[in-house]
Amino acid sequence: MPIFKETYNLRKRIFTGIIVAVSFILSLQLFKMQILEYSFYDKRSKINSIKKIEVDAPRGVFFDRNMEMLVSNKPSFTLQIIPDKFDMTKIPLIENVIKVDSGYIKSILYKKRKYSKFVPRKIKRGISLKTIAWLEEQHEFLPGVNYVIELQRDYSFGIKGSHIFGYTKEITAARLKKYKGDYLRGDEAGASGLEMQYENLLRGIKGKKYIVVDSKRKTIGSYLNGERDVKPIKGNDLVLTLDKQTQQIAESLMVKRKGAIVAIEPATGEILAFVSAPEYDLSLFASITSGETLQKLFNNPDKALFNRATMSIYPPGSTVKMIAALAALEDNIVTKNWRINCGGGYQLGDRFFGCTHVHGKTNMVKSIEESCNTYYYQLILKLGIDRWSNFVSQFGFGRKTGIDIPEESGGILPDRKYFNKIYGKNRWTEGYLLNIVIGQGQFNVTPVQLAQYVSLLANNGRTKTPHFLRGYINRNGELHKTKYDDVIVDISTSSLDVIKTGMYDVVNKPEGTAFNIHMKELKIAGKTGTSQNPFGKDHSVFIAYAPFDNPKIAVAVVVENAGYGSATAAPIARDIITTYLLRKTVSPKYPVLINKTTEDNNEN
């Protein structure tokens, strides 16, 4: 019994000692946390109850050259879903309410499945007030479903400009990784056109908002009455070179047509109007729409998303004949008075190359006015491939112009190296030269290249890189103008004057291939072209500038499957020129004339 009592007392003392020791340690730790480290844990407790929210900055807007609004921003409701809280059985109900295709919501959640399930997924922008009211009423039955107010692009200012402005979309995972730290999941970024080209100027600086939340992360109110909030800073506004009224007319002239229009101020390279037809509705990208709708747009056989003005390549037809004439004048191969006798074509070996019709005795100016192929068949044989291709390249053909939108093709400029590569060294004949000198065969150009070319002709061999951005307005309201490289062709004024005289006669003399657009109020110089199309009716091409004695606008028009350049493209160019220079269109007064001139002059 005494041994048992001794053992019991020892255990009691040990147990009591442990309790005292633990209590002492806990008391010390409590003292340390509440007294010595109070400030540290006080801050931590506040952080745990304060939520930081990133506030998106408004994107910069677009103005035209006269400070008229082209694209702005407008508030919009965006439906969001938080996967962690969302009841997937509610998908059919929500899809029906927001009017999207079956499976649309599930596809979005699947595509973004790698993101944290606590991060909201944007489902659709631009939802109606009626839908918002319904969401409010059903809020307790729709866990994980909410909405936020965001800014989206507003395209209600009278022009489409789909291939100019481009669109924004939610940043991809790859781009998010590339620009780590600059963007967050769900952010919008430019995906095409000027939105993409000038993303760094247009996107602003995000703000920060601090709110107090409870243990369930429910918002209680703002933290310190917003004293520590940081307001977002709006992006820079862009002042474009476009003329709104001219752009509107250009777009209207290409409705239900395919092709492109590019109008440039010759001295500056500033783009006044730019159309790729058919166009598409940019508002489809301003809101998140059904997958089926977007898929139809992408699969449209008319390829509305494809920028024909910078990406499509066409044979330029007779619009480029003048380059051979310039090369011959500059290298003293012929003079402006050199004549040939056009009997309706030219025989080379066992092949006869036809002309538009019998022109008789033809000099250089007349060859441009009446678009005589025979003249250029004989001229290219005097020039040779090397001289010709060298002069063509000086006008920017065969390479990108450097226009300030992301997508552009360089076209195809055939030269000796090209023919040797395609057909084998010395295995091609002079017959190929007779095709390319009149703008057919392998010679292919983009409409923006044609516009730069006619600008160089109009402005005595000088212009600047074609561009849309005139400058940007910074956050202090200051306009910063942008500078562009010179584009210079080293050709004498005397040679260019010969070409200009021929182009003047094209429009202003009765035998000119575009006399149907002649007008007393304004002297236009131009050149018609018919672009051969192996897959259907030929394309109508026309280049022009005006006024003849002091050029302010240069235009290139390509209308697919529209026949002769004089019949379709020329009247379109005339209306664009008169809109810009005279502030009126002339179609009612000067209708498209299908007469002897356009029927007989099947110009190439």
Side-chain angles (χ1 to χ4, degrees):
M1 191 71 178
I3 295 174
F4 175 78
K5 188 174 182 181
E6 252 181 55
T7 303
Y8 172 78
N9 290 334
L10 177 62
R11 289 178 178 177
K12 184 177 180 182
R13 286 195 297 270
I14 292 172
F15 183 71
T16 303
I18 290 172
I19 292 175
V20 171
V22 170
S23 299
F24 180 74
I25 291 170
L26 290 175
S27 298
L28 284 176
Q29 187 66 22
L30 189 62
F31 175 79
K32 179 183 176 184
M33 291 174 64
Q34 291 189 339
I35 306 299
L36 300 180
E37 297 180 348
Y38 169 78
S39 59
F40 172 78
Y41 286 103
D42 180 58
K43 289 179 182 179
R44 288 294 299 271
S45 66
K46 288 180 178 177
I47 290 172
N48 290 334
S49 64
I50 298 169
K51 182 180 179 182
K52 182 179 76 172
I53 300 175
E54 298 278 354
V55 181
D56 288 337
R59 286 179 76 82
V61 302
F62 295 105
F63 295 100
D64 84 338
R65 65 195 298 113
N66 303 308
M67 295 306 295
E68 290 197 46
M69 185 67 71
L70 300 177
V71 176
S72 186
N73 299 311
K74 62 181 179 181
S76 171
F77 293 106
T78 298
L79 181 71
Q80 294 183 332
I81 286 177
I82 301 173
D84 180 61
K85 299 179 180 179
F86 182 57
D87 180 358
M88 298 289 281
T89 64
K90 304 291 186 182
I91 285 181
L93 173 64
I94 297 173
E95 286 180 337
N96 181 60
V97 170
I98 64 175
K99 295 179 174 57
V100 295
D101 302 328
S102 176
Y104 170 70
I105 292 177
K106 189 173 288 186
S107 69
I108 289 181
L109 296 178
Y110 179 78
K111 288 176 184 177
K112 301 176 182 179
R113 65 191 183 281
K114 293 182 180 180
Y115 296 169
S116 168
K117 62 182 179 180
F118 302 103
V119 175
R121 294 352 182 218
K122 293 180 180 180
I123 303 300
K124 186 179 181 183
R125 293 189 185 86
I127 56 177
S128 66
L129 287 172
K130 183 178 179 181
T131 303
I132 294 298
W134 179 83
L135 287 172
E136 289 287 357
E137 289 176 1
Q138 305 297 322
H139 180 70
E140 61 181 303
F141 304 110
L142 297 171
V145 180
N146 60 19
Y147 62 88
V148 292
I149 299 176
E150 294 184 315
L151 289 176
Q152 72 176 50
R153 283 311 205 191
D154 183 0
Y155 301 106
S156 62
F157 299 93
I159 67 173
K160 286 190 174 181
S162 53
H163 297 91
I164 302 170
F165 307 129
Y167 55 86
T168 64
K169 67 178 183 180
E170 189 171 334
I171 192 166
T172 61
R175 198 169 175 185
L176 190 65
K177 185 177 180 180
K178 182 178 179 180
Y179 297 100
K180 191 174 182 180
D182 294 334
Y183 295 91
L184 299 174
R185 291 188 182 96
D187 282 354
E188 294 286 311
S192 70
L194 296 179
E195 294 278 16
M196 182 175 181
Q197 182 76 19
Y198 295 112
E199 168 71 9
N200 289 339
L201 287 175
L202 289 166
R203 65 186 294 253
I205 300 175
K206 287 177 177 286
K208 295 179 179 63
K209 185 177 181 180
Y210 296 92
I211 59 173
V212 180
V213 295
D214 60 18
S215 59
K216 296 181 179 180
R217 309 301 287 173
K218 182 178 180 181
T219 301
I220 298 172
S222 63
Y223 175 62
L224 295 179
N225 294 319
E227 289 180 9
R228 296 190 181 180
D229 292 354
V230 178
K231 291 184 178 180
I233 300 174
K234 181 175 174 289
N236 300 289
D237 296 332
L238 302 192
V239 180
L240 304 185
T241 61
L242 294 173
D243 179 76
K244 184 176 180 179
Q245 186 175 346
T246 307
Q247 178 68 23
Q248 287 174 322
I249 292 298
E251 290 181 356
S252 70
L253 292 168
M254 293 300 287
V255 171
K256 295 184 179 179
R257 286 174 166 146
K258 297 178 185 176
I261 297 171
V262 182
I264 293 179
E265 186 175 69
T268 64
E270 294 186 350
I271 296 174
L272 306 171
F274 181 99
V275 178
S276 172
E279 297 200 77
Y280 59 93
D281 186 358
L282 280 171
S283 65
L284 290 172
F285 292 90
S287 59
I288 301 175
T289 57
S290 72
E292 183 180 341
T293 301
L294 289 178
Q295 200 62 40
K296 285 180 181 178
L297 189 58
F298 282 113
N299 295 334
N300 188 321
D302 290 336
K303 298 181 179 179
L305 289 173
F306 188 70
N307 191 337
R308 285 170 162 83
T310 60
M311 292 292 288
S312 278
I313 56 174
Y314 307 91
S318 293
T319 60
V320 294
K321 286 178 177 175
M322 293 88 76
I323 299 179
L326 283 169
L329 289 173
E330 288 294 286
D331 285 357
N332 297 313
I333 304 297
V334 301
T335 69
K336 66 178 181 179
N337 297 317
W338 179 66
R339 293 172 180 265
I340 59 97
N341 184 40
C342 174
Y346 183 74
Q347 186 76 39
L348 181 67
D350 59 357
R351 181 178 173 186
F352 183 76
F353 291 81
C355 193
T356 54
H357 62 270
V358 177
H359 294 95
K361 291 290 185 181
T362 303
N363 64 11
M364 189 172 287
V365 170
K366 183 180 177 182
S367 75
I368 299 170
E369 174 193 345
E370 299 183 18
S371 200
C372 176
N373 290 350
T374 307
Y375 188 92
Y376 293 94
Y377 293 151
Q378 297 185 46
L379 188 59
I380 189 66
L381 295 178
K382 287 179 173 290
L383 277 172
I385 184 65
D386 298 322
R387 281 195 182 97
W388 177 84
S389 61
N390 176 59
F391 265 79
V392 173
S393 67
Q394 288 187 51
F395 284 91
F397 295 114
R399 62 180 181 273
K400 296 177 181 180
T401 65
I403 187 173
D404 55 342
I405 48 178
E407 51 281 321
E408 183 182 13
S409 169
I412 300 173
L413 170 56
D415 55 12
R416 182 178 298 276
K417 183 178 179 181
Y418 174 87
F419 283 131
N420 285 341
K421 181 179 179 181
I422 298 298
Y423 301 108
K425 191 171 184 180
N426 301 322
R427 297 186 66 182
W428 48 279
T429 67
E430 290 181 323
Y432 291 102
L433 304 187
L434 271 61
N435 273 327
I436 62 175
V437 75
I438 60 170
Q440 305 295 352
Q442 294 91 341
F443 189 15
N444 285 270
V445 306
T446 63
V448 71
Q449 288 175 332
L450 281 177
Q452 178 177 266
Y453 158 61
V454 70
S455 294
L456 287 164
L457 294 177
N459 201 50
N460 295 320
R462 297 185 69 92
T463 186
K464 290 184 180 293
T465 302
H467 58 276
F468 290 101
L469 183 63
R470 217 177 197 193
Y472 65 92
I473 301 172
N474 67 14
R475 297 168 185 103
N476 298 319
E478 301 165 334
L479 176 63
H480 287 253
K481 292 188 176 181
T482 47
K483 295 182 179 180
Y484 297 90
D485 293 336
D486 290 322
V487 179
I488 301 173
V489 178
D490 187 16
I491 297 178
S492 65
T493 303
S494 59
S495 294
L496 283 167
D497 284 345
V498 176
I499 303 306
K500 289 181 179 182
T501 300
M503 293 178 70
Y504 177 86
D505 291 350
V506 166
V507 178
N508 297 286
K509 284 197 172 182
E511 294 303 317
T513 56
F515 185 67
N516 58 308
I517 67 166
H518 166 73
M519 45 191 304
K520 294 179 181 179
E521 303 99 309
L522 191 61
K523 298 303 179 185
I524 300 173
K527 183 68 189 78
T528 53
T530 303
S531 174
Q532 291 180 358
N533 175 23
F535 305 105
K537 192 174 180 181
D538 292 340
H539 307 317
S540 179
V541 187
F542 189 68
I543 61 172
Y545 66 87
F548 174 71
D549 55 354
N550 184 25
K552 298 295 183 185
I553 182 172
V555 185
V557 180
V558 179
V559 185
E560 295 181 10
N561 313 121
Y564 307 150
S566 57
T568 306
I572 288 174
R574 173 203 59 201
D575 282 7
I576 292 167
I577 289 169
T578 53
T579 298
Y580 182 66
L581 296 178
L582 305 180
R583 284 310 189 209
K584 64 178 181 179
T585 55
V586 295
S587 291
K589 187 177 179 182
Y590 296 89
V592 176
L593 302 177
I594 305 300
N595 57 15
K596 183 177 183 296
T597 301
T598 56
E599 288 175 348
D600 289 349
N601 289 346
N602 179 12
E603 74 286 341
N604 291 326

